[in-house]
Amino acid sequence: MINKEIKEKKKAQILFNSNPKNLTFYKYIILDSSPFNYSFDNTFCVFESVNKIFYLIYSRIFYTIIVYDLTNLKKLSEIKNAHSKEITNFRYILDLSNKRDLILSISDKDNNLKVWDIKNFICILNLEHVNQVGALNSACFLKDKNKIYILTSNSFDNYRGINYEPIKVFDLTGKKIKEINGSNLETYLVDKYYDEKANKNYIISGNIYFCRSYDFAKNKIYQKYNDKGSEFFGHTSLVVFQDEKITKLIESSIGGFLRIWNFDTGKLLNRININHNIYGICLWNKDYLFLGSENHTKELIDIIKGKSVKEFSISVKSKGEKTIKKIIHPIFGECLISQSQNEQINFWIDKKLCT
C-alpha cells in the first residue's frame, strides 16, 4: 500500500508539475487538418467544456469543422460547409450565464465570422462583410460586465498606405457596439487581457512594426510597444501574464524576435533573437515559453535567461509549428497540443509517462 501511494504521489507530481524540458512527442492525433501557408496563431482551439469534456476544434479541407474528444482521442462530429471559404482561426469562451460553450470561427479572405454553440453545434451568429476590404486575420471574444463581445481585425496582404478599418466590437446578435479609437492599423492579431486587480479589460493588437494595447472601457490607446528600428514584419502572437509585481507582455514577430515588455509602462525588458521566423507562442509558466518556428521544430525559451534552451523535433515533414496550446489533460496532466504547417496536429506529454 505504501509503495502504491508513493507511486501515485510521483505520478501526480509529473502530471501537474512537469518540467517542460521533459516533454516528448507522444503521437500524431490528427493527420487531416487544413494546411496553412501563413504565420498566424490560433488555427485550432482546445478547452474543457461545461460538461467536463476536453475538446479540440480544428478545420479540414472543404470548409469542414471537426469536433475531437481529447480525453478518448477520437473524433466526435463534424460540420460540413461551415464556411464558404477556408477556415483560418478559432477562439473559445465559456458563456457561464447561459451554461454553454461558444466557438468563434473565421474565414479571413471572406471577412466572415461565425459563432457556434457546441452543445448541438448550432450557428448562433453569421457575421458577413466584417471588413469592406482586406482580410479578417484575427478575432476573439471579450467578456465585460457579464456580457460577451467579439473583437475583429483588418489587414491587407500586399498593400500598404491605405486607410485600415479599426478594431470593431460586436455583441452576440451581430450589432456593432463601437469601434476602438486609434486602432486604424494593419492588424494581424487581436486579443484581450483582463487585469483582475484593477478589474479592467484591455485589448491587445499585433500590428506591422509594433504592438498596441487599448483600455476597453475608456476606448483609448493604453500603450504602444515599439522597438525603434524594428524590422518590417508583422507581430503575430502574444501573451500577457503577471510576474510578481510586473505585468509582462511577450510578443513575437515573423522576423525572428521575441520581445518582453512591461505591459503597463511600455518599457522593453528584453529582446531575444531566435534567428529564424517565429510562428505561435505558448506560455508554459512564468519562467518558460514555447514557440513554433520555421525550421521543423518547437523551441523552449527560458524567459529569465532570455535564450532558447531546447529544441523539440518530430520530422522534416512537420514543416514548422503554427499554433501551440498548453492544456491540463485528465490523463496526461500538463501537456501540449501543436499544429504543423501541413496536416498534422501533435500531442506532447512528459516522457516519464511513456515508460
Side-chain angles (χ1 to χ4, degrees), residues 319-334:
K319 291 188 178 180
E321 299 190 302
K322 298 294 187 178
T323 299
I324 305 172
K325 301 290 183 183
K326 178 184 176 181
I327 64 169
I328 309 297
H329 193 275
I331 298 172
F332 299 104
E334 292 182 303

Side-chain angles (χ1 to χ4, degrees), residues 46 52 61 64 345:
V46 291
K52 305 302 180 182
I61 59 173
T64 300
I345 296 181

Side-chain angles (χ1 to χ4, degrees), residues 67-117:
V67 184
Y68 188 86
D69 181 344
L70 274 173
T71 302
N72 298 298
L73 302 182
K74 65 177 184 179
K75 187 176 78 171
L76 295 178
S77 61
E78 64 180 46
I79 307 169
K80 295 182 179 179
N81 301 311
H83 285 260
S84 58
K85 289 189 178 180
E86 183 182 20
I87 303 165
T88 52
N89 212 254
F90 292 98
R91 294 295 182 94
Y92 163 78
I93 195 168
L94 170 63
D95 183 2
L96 193 58
S97 299
N98 296 297
K99 296 182 180 179
R100 61 181 180 174
D101 302 286
L102 300 180
I103 293 295
L104 178 156
S105 63
I106 64 174
S107 177
D108 61 351
K109 298 294 189 298
D110 209 21
N111 276 293
N112 179 218
L113 180 154
K114 293 186 178 183
V115 177
W116 310 82
D117 181 343

